[in-house]
Amino acid sequence: MQIRGGAVELGNLIVPDSVLALLGPDALIESPPGFKWAAVELARRTGAKVSGRPVWGSCDVGLADAEYMKARRIVHLGHGVPPNIAHLLRKNTGGSLERIDVDTYLLKTERVEAYFVPVYYVPPPSLPRPPLGKIYFPVPYRLIAEELALQHSMEVAREPITGCWVGEPPGASAVVVSSGYFYPLAVKLFYPDAEVWGYDPFKGRAYPVEGEFRRLMGLKGRAYLSNRERVVVLVSRKPGQMQIEEAERAAAETGGVLIEVDEASPELLDDLGADLIINTACPRIGFDDQDRMRTPVINLRELEGFKPQNIVRLL
């Protein structure tokens, strides 16, 4: 992929140079953990402000933070805007959302504009051949995934994935370019019959996901056997996660107590003293964090039935 208009290099990262025109004293930069230093460097060059929140996805855009900091514009680095989150952003903000370039989106609300801008890793000089399969990637790994596909004549997904969205079926097998299990598990949850491999381009190694998937699915079963005397229902106030009507309905059906959250850490959730948590916020809370929590969690769509796709569905 050619970046239209050129790019700004920040160590082993590059961002479209169009981002510089968006930054200044009236802008607030958001970035996920691992990219904070890049946000600080961009702010140093432009006079922008930086949000210290972790911001785990485009669902987490800090519209209220921008108003507090008297910023007219948010530049949110490193996350895609999949259709499920796009729907909730439009619904919860009353704003408009459009794609304005490859991996770049603009959310306009009455008070704030939010630009979702990609950050890409520079492909390493050597990319060993991965296992056979369709290549998937989150936004920061796009250039590496496309280079890998070019070098080894492999099929690559057209659009990036997120932790709660995988839009294209993989066929028999998938190779997910990223570090760790988070993104490969997303593909496995959406397409449990596929053989899924993670591929860490910086370590030059591929690793199977099946064992970790089975382990977490085994832990998941305890939520269905839990006592349901004290049920709490989580609703997120993040604009790309908030589903207040669905949370109220789940609370009414289960006799649960509705609890609003921003950051839903395992420690916070265990402190609620519940027998069961029904989660309408980020669906990965109810899967990845199971072995860090005492309290079992069922995600909203799991109330429709226990299957992998319902675990990871946001809508």
Side-chain angles (χ1 to χ4, degrees):
M1 182 192 77
Q2 294 294 322
I3 298 178
R4 189 181 305 168
V8 178
E9 295 189 15
L10 300 170
N12 70 331
L13 303 177
I14 59 174
V15 297
D17 65 5
S18 57
V19 73
L20 296 176
L22 302 175
L23 296 176
D26 60 349
L28 179 69
I29 308 174
E30 296 182 329
S31 62
F35 290 167
K36 289 296 183 192
W37 69 269
V40 170
E41 176 59 23
L42 288 170
R44 188 185 66 80
R45 298 184 187 186
T46 61
K49 305 173 181 73
V50 176
S51 170
R53 291 191 309 117
V55 291
W56 304 107
S58 55
C59 56
D60 205 0
V61 60
L63 301 176
D65 295 17
E67 291 192 45
Y68 177 78
M69 295 297 291
K70 296 181 172 58
R72 295 190 302 107
R73 185 180 304 110
I74 295 170
V75 175
H76 181 110
L77 300 175
H79 290 126
V81 185
N84 52 355
I85 292 175
H87 169 78
L88 289 175
L89 287 174
R90 293 186 183 102
K91 176 182 177 183
N92 291 326
T93 69
S96 64
L97 179 71
E98 61 177 323
R99 185 174 187 167
I100 58 176
D101 203 346
V102 176
D103 299 330
T104 303
Y105 294 80
L106 170 59
L107 172 68
K108 287 185 177 181
T109 71
E110 287 186 0
R111 298 183 181 180
V112 179
E113 291 183 344
Y115 288 83
F116 300 90
V117 178
V119 175
Y120 301 120
Y121 287 113
V122 175
S126 176
L127 291 170
R129 176 179 288 277
L132 292 177
K134 186 174 182 177
I135 296 175
Y136 291 82
F137 58 92
V139 164
Y141 292 87
R142 177 187 280 277
L143 301 185
I144 297 176
E146 292 177 347
E147 180 64 24
L148 193 68
L150 182 64
Q151 286 187 18
H152 301 295
S153 301
M154 297 174 67
E155 182 184 8
V156 62
R158 295 184 300 277
E159 299 293 338
I161 65 172
T162 70
C164 64
W165 181 265
V166 181
E168 301 174 39
S173 60
V175 176
V176 183
V177 181
S178 67
S179 299
Y181 284 105
F182 183 79
Y183 291 106
L185 283 170
V187 176
K188 186 66 177 177
L189 283 163
F190 271 96
Y191 300 102
D193 293 333
E195 179 184 33
V196 179
W197 293 82
Y199 180 88
D200 187 327
F202 301 112
K203 295 180 179 178
R205 70 178 186 92
Y207 46 95
V209 174
E210 188 68 30
E212 181 67 1
F213 176 74
R214 289 183 179 275
R215 184 183 74 84
L216 289 171
M217 287 298 288
L219 290 173
K220 192 69 187 168
R222 69 179 178 141
Y224 294 85
L225 303 174
S226 62
N227 177 22
R228 301 196 179 189
E229 182 178 348
R230 292 180 298 177
V231 175
V232 300
V233 180
L234 297 186
V235 60
S236 173
R237 62 176 178 265
K238 296 178 180 181
Q241 293 182 10
M242 185 171 62
Q243 301 186 74
I244 184 65
E245 296 90 353
E246 290 82 353
E248 289 174 338
R249 189 178 307 116
E253 292 174 354
T254 61
V257 175
L258 192 64
I259 296 181
E260 65 85 20
V261 295
D262 181 17
E263 289 298 311
S265 68
E267 295 78 15
L268 183 151
L269 298 183
D270 278 337
D271 193 47
L272 297 175
D275 296 320
L276 176 68
I277 294 170
I278 297 174
N279 171 42
T280 74
C282 173
R284 298 305 290 266
I285 294 170
F287 191 66
D288 300 72
D289 291 340
Q290 293 178 93
D291 52 1
R292 298 172 56 206
M293 295 174 56
R294 298 187 307 273
T295 312
V297 179
I298 288 178
N299 289 333
L300 176 65
R301 303 304 163 188
E302 290 180 77
L303 297 175
E304 302 170 14
F306 179 44
K307 61 180 182 178
Q309 293 90 340
N310 286 348
I311 293 172
V312 76
R313 282 173 54 208
L314 181 61
L315 297 179

